[in-house]
Amino acid sequence: MRAALPQEEQTVLRVEDLRVQFKVAEGTLRAVDGVSFTLQHGKTLGVVGESGSGKTVSALSILRLLETPPAEIKSGRMLFGGRDILKLSGPEISEVRGREIAMIFQEPMTSLNPVKRVGVQVSEPLVRHLGLSPREARARSIQLFELVGIQAPAETIDRYPHELSGGMRQRVMIAMAIACEPKVLIADEPTTALDVTIQAQILDLIVGLQEKFGTAILLITHDLAVIAETAHRVAVMYAGRIVELADVKTIFEAPRHPYTQGLLRSIPQIVRNRPATLNEIPGMVPNLARLGGGCSFAGRCERVVDRCRLEAPPLEVIRPGHDVACWRANDV
Amino acid sequence: MLKFILRRVLQSIPLVIGVSIIAFGLMHLAPGGPLAVYTLNPTIQAQDIERIKVALGLDQPFHIQYLRWAAGMFSGTWGNTFFGGRPVLDVILERVPATLILMGSALSIAILLGTAIGMLGAVKRYSLFDYLATTGALFALSFPTFWFGLMAIYVFAVRLRWLPSGGMYDLGNEGDPIDLLIHLVLPTLVLALVLVATWSRYARSSFLEVIHQDYIRTARAKGLVERDVLMKHAFPNALVPLIALFGLQLPTLFSGALVTETIFGWPGMGRLFVDSLTMKEYPVLMGMMMFTALFVIVGNLLADIGVALADPRVRLE
Amino acid sequence: MSELAATTSLISIRGLKTYFPIRKGILSRVVDKVHAVDGVDLDVRRGEVLGVVGESGCGKTTLARTMLKLVEPTAGEIQFNGTDITHLSRREMAPLRRQMQIIFQDPFSSLNPRLTVGDILATPFEIHGLAEGQDMRDRVERLLMLVGLRPEAARRYPHEFSGGQRQRIGIARALALDPQLVVGDEPVSALDVSIQAQIINLLKRLQAELGLTYVLISHNLSVVSHIADRVAVMYLGRVVEIASRDELYFSALHPYTEALLSAAPSSVPGRKRDRIILKGDIPSPINPPSGCRFHPRCPKVMARCKTDDPALISPTAGSSHAVACHLHNP
């Protein structure tokens, strides 16, 4: 039974039952196995998960950026502006990309074209979607650079990516993404490759832009602390499914899924009385090509019972605004 | 940028000197030495050989000979041919236009067609087109050029009588551009076949590498149409190694294609080389060696500069 | 160097500098240098876990590698166990290397993919001629069990293991020869969060069981806080603050340390309102700023900071908490 979706303030994007598979040597890899969520105007949904959780594949699916020979979107709907993104044609989706929904990636060095000046790269969406002339686009790019906090914007415009630091490159990516003031911004691990002090600057920038433009943000990360600071709602993903979905306070203060609980307990904290050992989650993420029928966390769960191994629990509402996929969610 | 070019040019100078020393040394190492034509000829007497030696300055120590020869090279006196006593430089230069026309045509076709085929193959990887192109390239590279040449002559000149079997012009038609074009068709196609195969493989591999890069995904994420993604983002990056390749193939514009020119009787540099070898015409061979070496070095230089122009990261050093 | 320092310190470093030349020009002239490590005094006490934290370009990785003589120092002195190793040749260092080992960051590239795990672990024994045949196989088996892997793993290849398991193999390799000192260069950064806890626990357990001394390099302050006894903070090739773990995390003195601690996202929901956001980017170690290296970004900068380079001194006499800052050492 599909979990009831939270009260829609202004739902900008609705993803329903997304399933993405990959053809690999061993068989079929179920990277995303029935994922549903919504994005709200002016709010950030943080998606947290580790390797193999399916968070990046989900994000790339929204803009249909997956390479479709190995990947295949098996089913699902992605409703945006009254249309299903998955049913759009090639030219139609390219109208949406960069204009209504934009994306920034983890590695700013490899995500920028090394042989083109950054100003040109930022101008491209302006010319393509808003029909600006090259000169107008250039002026607007300088403004965008200022907006994202790049020093000496008029000079930086003509630089190549390799001449800029990691933090500046990420700012360029952000400028490129917000150029057309999109309704949705997908940020895939935007600060993972950056130093801690720069990370703080970039997160601050992203949050500030959301306040200014009301952008709905989908923030993907493996770093729970980043989520704590920037997300309003959080989806915890494991082995291709959302296992818990709630507002950020609930996730950190009263999580119900054993994986979420385990994850929170295993992170070292800066506290005066440090524990002798960190809480571990034993074992490893399962092989996504050989997922059985039961709960994919069963092998590592401390509260596992027989039912877990036979039947995978659906994502269900346990309290308004709090969905958990666990047979024992209500056992305290 | 200018400093980069200057530095590369300066680095080339020791290279040219090194090549010339080797070229000069090789000639002296050849059996019979520089006067092989005479020394291996039983009818010429020893004292005549001695006189020729002194006259040509061959009795001097090696480094003196080298310096005199190098000075001559520099000033344009490349010596005279053994047979006929014509200035070597003239002999070489008069063959250049023929070679340029043949190689120029073949290379142009190869680059344009080869790059297009390679690009399409990369974009539509594993499709029927890609499969055919790959197989075709393998075929073209596996069979020797002389076989293709002879087959082409047999089919088109002997059987079908559509095209002439060789030469640059028909007797009496020298200078007629139409005649030239007709004579150009077969040798160019044969030559281009192998070149297209090579270029398409390089282009395909370069494109394949580029279209899987993150920045191509970013370009799509910005909403650019697929054609712009390919031509404005993929192409300039894929071009960089191809520019290097072009620079390296540039010398062939002048050194010619030995086998093809011989098969088709084309009066170019390649033919000259083969003929000179057979006749032991050392001055010409030496001259051609230096000529080619110079163009290889210039070609490399242009390739380096071309890559630096196309890829701003290279200019860093 | 004092006698006391020499006996309680496993490693003693004085005035260490490691510069990397930058070559340009036609003749590859050295035009500039990367001042990776630019004057570091440090003692690593026997049996302690010393955390070294900092961001890109601070020199922490170079410091670790120079300490182990994997990189040759440009100036200064390194003593290991009372022996001056600064100028020892590679051959002279060979026997000492058994005592000092390193765990690398990337579990995917630090194991030779063409060797079985058993071969990888046997290599240290082979190099030093310490065991062979059945004896060696036994030792390899013991190592695998020590790090929580099954003995059967010896027959498999690295690519058959997950990141966390590969890092365990890397740890086993480092421990093969019973070293005294183990340097961990970002040993958990490349691992998933839930695996990090496993490896951190393993490292802590091994330290207690085997009496190891650790130098832990990391940019992750939380990980270091869990395991370190003392922490040194580096910036642009220098140590700017060093203190016991509690003192550093809860009574930090240097403005950079404060900013670093403040920047580290915490697991408390809600936006940090009092975060210190530093201006600008991290400067390049090729041309460090004059005076105090941190002065262009320091929120508490004073006039003196632009010209005078502060020394690493304890503001309170006799305390082990030292800081290089004019604010605290007027």
Side-chain angles (χ1 to χ4, degrees):
Chain A
M1 203 175 64
R2 196 166 65 74
L5 295 161
Q7 183 155 31
E8 284 123 29
E9 295 156 283
Q10 282 180 66
T11 300
V12 172
L13 173 72
R14 179 199 302 280
V15 173
E16 284 177 7
D17 205 40
L18 179 66
R19 286 173 202 273
V20 183
Q21 288 177 3
F22 282 79
K23 280 226 171 3
V24 290
E26 297 162 278
T28 310
L29 202 139
R30 287 168 14 211
V32 179
D33 204 15
V35 161
S36 309
F37 58 85
T38 59
L39 294 180
Q40 256 71 43
H41 171 90
K43 296 271 189 262
T44 301
L45 173 69
V47 176
V48 69
E50 301 175 292
S51 347
S53 61
K55 57 192 196 299
T56 298
V57 174
S58 304
L60 290 173
S61 306
I62 296 178
L63 281 182
R64 294 195 4 213
L65 288 173
L66 293 169
E67 304 235 342
T68 28
E72 200 194 327
I73 301 185
K74 280 249 86 157
S75 64
R77 293 203 304 167
M78 299 202 288
L79 302 169
F80 178 74
R83 301 186 294 176
D84 182 0
I85 291 179
L86 290 177
K87 296 207 167 45
L88 295 179
S89 68
E92 286 173 327
I93 188 91
S94 78
E95 296 277 338
V96 172
R97 288 175 185 157
R99 169 107 202 234
E100 314 269 358
I101 303 179
M103 189 158 179
I104 60 180
F105 301 95
Q106 175 175 353
E107 291 283 354
M109 183 63 228
T110 53
S111 299
L112 290 172
N113 192 329
V115 305
K116 285 166 112 57
R117 298 177 202 271
V118 294
V120 168
Q121 298 190 52
V122 174
S123 300
E124 271 179 324
L126 292 168
V127 171
R128 154 70 173 124
H129 293 295
L130 303 180
L132 297 185
S133 74
R135 208 156 46 138
E136 291 169 326
R138 186 186 163 87
R140 180 89 187 106
S141 301
I142 296 179
Q143 283 177 346
L144 284 165
F145 273 26
E146 257 178 56
L147 189 61
V148 299
I150 294 178
Q151 317 276 41
E155 284 87 52
T156 316
I157 276 271
D158 289 324
R159 295 222 170 289
Y160 289 99
H162 66 267
E163 299 179 281
L164 305 177
S165 71
M168 296 233 290
R169 281 181 229 140
Q170 196 61 301
R171 289 176 198 271
V172 169
M173 290 267 339
I174 294 172
M176 217 158 64
I178 60 160
C180 301
E181 290 177 33
K183 298 206 176 64
V184 175
L185 176 67
I186 305 174
D188 187 2
E189 306 265 16
T191 55
T192 303
L194 304 173
D195 281 312
V196 161
T197 50
I198 308 296
Q199 184 172 327
Q201 294 176 356
I202 298 295
L203 285 178
D204 220 55
L205 172 63
I206 292 176
V207 170
L209 290 171
Q210 178 180 56
E211 283 170 3
K212 190 177 160 81
F213 293 113
T215 328
I217 298 181
L218 179 67
L219 180 66
I220 317 258
T221 179
H222 66 274
D223 190 338
L224 274 164
V226 167
I227 291 279
E229 284 215 23
T230 51
H232 297 97
R233 286 180 59 80
V234 181
V236 179
M237 283 187 73
Y238 186 82
R241 303 210 178 126
I242 296 182
V243 296
E244 191 156 8
L245 179 59
D247 66 274
V248 65
K249 212 153 177 292
T250 310
I251 290 281
F252 281 90
E253 290 171 9
R256 284 309 184 97
H257 195 281
Y259 175 62
T260 317
Q261 293 168 340
L263 209 56
L264 283 166
R265 287 198 307 250
S266 70
I267 298 175
Q269 306 274 17
I270 301 177
V271 287
R272 275 184 203 272
N273 293 323
R274 60 185 181 190
T277 52
L278 290 169
N279 271 292
E280 294 178 14
I281 305 180
M284 313 180 297
V285 181
N287 185 338
L288 294 175
R290 297 210 212 110
L291 287 175
C295 173
S296 24
F297 191 61
R300 306 171 76 187
C301 186
E302 55 185 7
R303 309 214 303 254
V304 64
V305 292
D306 287 331
R307 188 180 184 196
C308 306
R309 294 187 228 273
L310 297 169
E311 243 188 289
L315 188 65
E316 285 184 317
V317 190
I318 60 166
R319 265 203 313 279
H322 189 171
D323 304 355
V324 181
C326 178
W327 296 122
R328 307 195 56 196
N330 283 311
D331 304 349
V332 172
Chain B
M1 190 64 216
L2 215 57
K3 268 201 282 188
F4 179 82
I5 297 178
L6 196 64
R7 197 174 63 227
R8 283 284 190 265
V9 170
L10 284 175
Q11 280 171 344
S12 308
I13 295 178
L15 202 55
V16 174
I17 296 176
V19 172
S20 69
I21 295 177
I22 293 176
F24 192 76
L26 273 178
M27 200 185 80
H28 280 261
L29 284 172
L35 291 180
V37 155
Y38 302 120
T39 54
L40 298 179
N41 187 337
T43 60
I44 299 189
Q45 296 182 322
Q47 59 238 78
D48 287 328
I49 294 180
E50 276 308 306
R51 268 194 295 129
I52 296 172
K53 257 195 178 167
V54 175
L56 292 175
L58 288 165
D59 52 337
Q60 307 274 7
F62 183 82
H63 58 278
I64 304 280
Q65 288 190 47
Y66 169 75
L67 286 169
R68 289 177 66 187
W69 174 80
M73 279 277 149
F74 217 62
S75 61
T77 345
W78 285 26
N80 294 338
T81 63
F82 282 163
F83 303 100
R86 297 184 55 211
V88 166
L89 197 55
D90 291 351
V91 168
I92 293 177
L93 286 178
E94 73 187 3
R95 294 292 184 119
V96 169
T99 299
L100 268 178
I101 292 173
L102 177 62
M103 291 304 299
S105 318
L107 207 54
S108 310
I109 295 177
I111 293 174
L112 290 170
L113 199 58
T115 309
I117 293 176
M119 192 162 81
L120 269 165
V123 171
K124 294 190 183 304
R125 188 156 51 146
Y126 305 136
S127 68
L128 184 63
F129 176 84
D130 188 31
Y131 185 69
L132 285 174
T134 308
T135 314
L138 202 57
F139 185 79
L141 289 168
S142 307
F143 287 87
T145 320
F146 72 79
W147 184 82
F148 279 124
L150 291 173
M151 283 295 111
I153 292 176
Y154 182 69
V155 171
F156 293 101
V158 175
R159 294 303 249 174
L160 295 173
R161 293 191 168 275
W162 287 352
L163 294 162
S165 65
M168 225 169 131
Y169 298 101
D170 283 336
L171 271 174
N173 279 353
E174 280 85 358
D176 178 13
I178 309 281
D179 200 33
L180 176 63
L181 271 163
I182 296 176
H183 283 262
L184 200 53
V185 174
L186 277 181
T188 304
L189 281 177
V190 168
L191 207 47
L193 197 61
V194 175
L195 289 174
V196 166
T198 313
W199 270 91
S200 73
R201 300 311 295 159
Y202 273 108
R204 180 181 185 272
S205 120
S206 180
F207 258 93
L208 266 180
E209 201 180 302
V210 167
I211 53 178
H212 288 110
Q213 295 294 319
D214 286 346
Y215 54 83
I216 297 296
R217 187 180 58 183
T218 306
R220 289 201 186 107
K222 288 197 288 199
L224 297 181
V225 291
E226 198 61 19
R227 198 193 58 225
D228 281 350
V229 172
L230 280 174
M231 297 309 294
K232 289 192 186 159
H233 283 268
F235 191 71
N237 278 280
L239 211 53
V240 175
L242 296 179
I243 291 177
L245 184 64
F246 176 65
L248 295 173
Q249 288 197 336
L250 212 56
T252 56
L253 276 179
F254 293 91
S255 61
L258 273 57
V259 174
T260 311
E261 287 182 20
T262 309
I263 301 270
F264 287 93
W266 192 267
M269 295 277 282
R271 263 275 299 278
L272 179 63
F273 190 77
V274 173
D275 295 340
S276 307
L277 260 180
T278 326
M279 299 194 313
K280 293 196 184 21
E281 185 61 82
Y282 286 119
V284 175
L285 289 173
M286 289 261 312
M288 287 192 75
M289 191 142 60
M290 284 310 298
F291 201 73
T292 314
L294 259 151
F295 274 103
V296 169
I297 290 170
V298 168
N300 265 289
L301 188 62
L302 287 175
D304 280 346
I305 294 175
V307 166
L309 279 172
D311 189 346
R313 293 170 290 182
V314 172
R315 297 177 216 160
L316 254 187
E317 12 134 3
Chain C
M1 196 171 314
S2 83
E3 286 276 331
L4 193 62
T7 45
T8 53
S9 303
L10 190 55
I11 295 247
S12 268
I13 294 174
R14 293 288 177 273
L16 186 68
K17 295 188 188 187
T18 307
Y19 294 169
F20 296 109
I22 303 173
R23 296 176 190 280
K24 266 193 185 180
I26 298 170
L27 304 169
S28 287
R29 292 185 333 268
V30 177
V31 296
D32 229 331
K33 301 195 190 84
V34 177
H35 303 250
V37 177
D38 207 3
V40 167
D41 293 346
L42 194 62
D43 288 307
V44 180
R45 301 180 193 152
R46 230 172 270 281
E48 79 166 339
V49 176
L50 174 69
V52 180
V53 301
E55 298 175 294
S56 334
C58 72
K60 57 192 192 297
T61 298
T62 311
L63 176 65
R65 292 181 187 219
T66 313
M67 205 187 280
L68 296 179
K69 294 288 292 286
L70 292 172
V71 168
E72 285 298 316
T74 309
E77 199 184 280
I78 310 169
Q79 280 208 10
F80 177 75
N81 235 342
T83 314
D84 187 338
I85 64 171
T86 325
H87 301 292
L88 290 186
S89 70
R90 279 185 67 175
R91 199 170 342 151
E92 289 163 328
M93 276 300 297
L96 285 170
R97 292 220 184 276
R98 292 173 48 185
Q99 308 295 335
M100 31 162 75
Q101 290 290 319
I102 184 166
I103 304 168
F104 295 102
Q105 171 177 3
D106 188 353
F108 296 93
S109 60
S110 59
L111 298 177
N112 188 335
R114 310 188 82 231
L115 296 177
T116 60
V117 169
D119 289 336
I120 293 173
L121 293 178
T123 309
F125 296 114
E126 282 168 4
I127 293 176
H128 291 270
L130 287 172
E132 50 185 26
Q134 187 57 40
D135 182 28
M136 178 143 78
R137 281 193 287 275
D138 289 340
R139 291 194 198 217
V140 167
E141 213 178 275
R142 277 204 298 269
L143 276 174
L144 284 169
M145 298 204 308
L146 187 66
V147 297
L149 291 170
R150 286 205 291 264
E152 293 86 68
R155 277 179 300 223
R156 305 204 339 234
Y157 288 90
H159 70 261
E160 298 178 62
F161 294 93
S162 70
Q165 288 171 324
R166 278 189 247 197
Q167 201 59 316
R168 289 176 194 265
I169 296 168
I171 293 171
R173 175 176 61 183
L175 296 177
L177 300 176
D178 268 327
Q180 291 181 42
L181 172 70
V182 177
V183 172
D185 187 359
E186 306 268 10
V188 296
S189 305
L191 304 174
D192 273 327
V193 169
S194 63
I195 310 295
Q196 283 189 17
Q198 293 178 11
I199 302 298
I200 295 171
N201 283 342
L202 174 66
L203 287 172
K204 226 176 166 184
R205 177 170 64 79
L206 289 170
Q207 194 227 356
E209 262 178 45
L210 304 173
L212 300 166
T213 305
Y214 280 166
V215 174
L216 190 67
I217 314 278
S218 181
H219 64 272
N220 187 329
L221 291 162
S222 314
V223 166
V224 170
S225 99
H226 178 72
I227 189 176
D229 298 316
R230 283 196 310 151
V231 181
V233 178
M234 286 188 73
Y235 187 82
L236 275 190
R238 293 268 180 84
V239 174
V240 297
E241 186 161 9
I242 181 167
S244 73
R245 178 255 180 201
D246 283 346
E247 279 175 343
L248 194 100
Y249 282 95
F250 299 104
S251 329
L253 296 176
H254 198 286
Y256 178 60
T257 313
E258 289 175 338
L260 212 54
L261 287 168
S262 154
S266 72
S267 290
V268 175
R271 189 137 157 231
K272 252 178 160 166
R273 296 283 155 194
D274 56 351
R275 155 165 295 161
I276 302 167
I277 307 262
L278 292 178
K279 299 180 305 235
D281 282 314
I282 301 167
S284 151
I286 296 173
N287 229 338
S290 61
C292 169
R293 286 146 193 251
F294 188 56
H295 85 255
R297 302 171 81 200
C298 184
K300 301 181 181 169
V301 63
M302 309 183 292
R304 187 181 171 197
C305 305
K306 301 187 189 165
T307 49
D308 290 348
D309 198 353
L312 187 66
I313 307 173
S314 301
T316 328
S319 147
S320 61
H321 188 161
V323 63
C325 180
H326 294 302
L327 206 57
H328 300 281
N329 293 317

